[in-house]
Amino acid sequence: MSSLPPSRSLPPAAAPRPGPAAPAPPLTGATPGTTTAATVRPASRMSARPVRLALCLAPLLLAAGWAVANRPVVYEGVRRLVAADPGWLLAGAGLTCLTWVAASCARQGALPDRLPPGLLLASQFAAGAANHALPAGLGAHAVTLRFLRGRGVPLERATASIGLYSLARSTAKTLVLLVFLAVSPAWRRLGDLVPDGRLLVPLAAVAGGAAAVAGVLLTVVRPLRRPVTGLLRSALADVRAVHSRPCRVLALWGGAVAMPLVQAGTLACVGASLGLGLPWEQVVLAHLAAGTAAGAVPAPGGLAVDAALVWTLVTFGAGPAVATATVIGYRVLSDWVPLLPGALVLSVLIRAKVL
């Protein structure tokens, strides 16, 4: 009567049987999937390091190659810069630092999202070094695009902000040029710098053909039309959002107007330190005219702008030697001196995954 029910007296053989023994793991102590990932990731990082190093050293190599190819000009410019007034050179260096502040303000004004000011200023300082490796400002735009993507900005909005920044900068520079043309009597001398009709006709034909080809592609190719349409919609929405906020309008257009004035002020300070002998308004007008005329030439490091700038200063009455030394000094202060620190900041931002 005290016996247990049959359900509680199961034999040991009825217990769940263990499955087949699992194969022994590899001697390395990792599964095949993790072993593959561990071997692939270091290989990809090792392959990316030479590319990053080449991008950082490309501006230095370009500057060194230009200096070797133009040794007499560099020697004459350095000789004159050694005897220049250090006070004016220090003022030019201060104006150069304001260039990155103005660029940061314009970048922030072109985007409704708030960006960290310190990192934004550091990215623009690094973008100056990257701008020497690629023509037409593509280096600075690439660095800014990576920075915005790292801050969580979608690709369409980041690209639209770069387009708005470029449009505002070119528009503001044109307006400042028109103001200086209206108030300065030196604009009559700019007629010698305008190319004749034989050169303007091919340029107009090339520009018209490029616009026609782009229109046909956007009309016919549907996979190309969809992303462009989405980009334009995002750009128009961001333009409305930016211009509905007075702080963004002030940052965008104030920075865009300040950039050419600050750059021209650096050139005027260098010219004053070397005894250029031109009024500051003519130096500013020369800088604006040369930058507008040579801005369409895709050359890294502003080489086309430098050639046009020397020619414009000589046209205004400066001596060829002192005009060349002024442009070299301007390039030293605005580009060559910040080149190595900018490359180092670019490398630090890449390693910190900010870019």
Side-chain angles (χ1 to χ4, degrees):
M1 293 180 62
S2 60
S3 60
L4 295 174
S7 58
R8 296 184 180 181
S9 61
L10 293 175
R17 296 181 181 179
L27 295 178
T28 56
T31 60
T34 56
T35 304
T36 305
T39 56
V40 170
R41 289 177 182 174
S44 62
R45 292 178 182 176
M46 291 297 294
S47 62
R49 287 179 182 177
V51 177
R52 295 176 181 176
L53 183 61
L55 290 177
C56 293
L57 293 180
L60 298 177
L61 295 178
L62 287 174
W66 186 91
V68 171
N70 299 272
R71 289 189 300 271
V73 177
V74 173
Y75 174 77
E76 180 66 19
V78 170
R79 188 185 67 82
R80 288 179 176 270
L81 287 174
V82 169
D85 187 355
W88 282 111
L89 293 180
L90 185 60
L95 290 175
T96 300
C97 296
L98 292 180
T99 304
W100 303 312
V101 178
S104 301
C105 291
R107 294 285 188 185
Q108 176 62 87
L111 192 69
D113 306 78
R114 180 173 177 80
L115 300 174
L119 290 179
L120 178 60
L121 182 60
S123 68
Q124 295 309 297
F125 181 61
N131 217 26
H132 289 267
L134 297 175
L138 295 179
H141 293 332
V143 172
T144 303
L145 182 62
R146 291 291 300 270
F147 172 74
L148 295 179
R149 294 289 292 146
R151 297 298 94 193
V153 180
L155 180 60
E156 290 185 354
R157 299 187 64 187
T159 308
S161 70
I162 292 176
L164 179 58
Y165 167 84
S166 302
L167 180 61
R169 184 177 176 181
S170 59
T171 304
K173 188 174 184 179
T174 303
L175 293 177
V176 173
L177 175 60
L178 292 177
V179 170
F180 273 87
L181 286 175
V183 301
S184 177
W187 64 270
R188 298 180 180 89
R189 300 181 181 180
L190 293 177
D192 300 334
L193 303 177
V194 178
D196 54 4
R198 293 178 297 179
L199 182 60
L200 291 178
V201 171
L203 292 178
V206 171
V213 170
V216 170
L217 289 178
L218 291 177
T219 304
V220 176
V221 183
R222 182 174 297 180
L224 183 62
R225 185 171 65 246
R226 290 179 178 177
V228 172
T229 304
L231 178 61
L232 291 178
R233 290 176 180 174
S234 177
L236 292 176
D238 286 350
V239 167
R240 288 193 295 266
V242 164
H243 287 83
S244 64
R245 304 171 61 179
C247 59
R248 291 292 189 269
V249 175
L250 180 61
L252 174 62
W253 293 102
V257 171
M259 286 185 67
L261 293 177
V262 170
Q263 293 172 350
T266 303
L267 180 66
C269 289
V270 176
S273 68
L274 295 172
L276 184 62
L278 294 178
W280 69 271
E281 63 271 11
Q282 293 188 11
V283 177
V284 173
L285 180 59
H287 182 275
L288 295 172
T292 304
V297 180
L303 298 179
V305 178
D306 292 345
L309 188 53
V310 172
W311 190 15
T312 308
L313 291 176
V314 172
T315 303
F316 281 168
V322 68
T324 303
T326 300
V327 175
I328 291 177
Y330 165 73
R331 192 58 64 185
V332 166
L333 282 182
S334 60
D335 292 335
W336 295 354
V337 170
L339 192 57
L340 182 58
L344 294 177
V345 171
L346 179 62
S347 178
V348 170
L349 293 179
I350 292 177
R351 290 180 179 274
K353 300 186 183 303
V354 177
L355 300 180

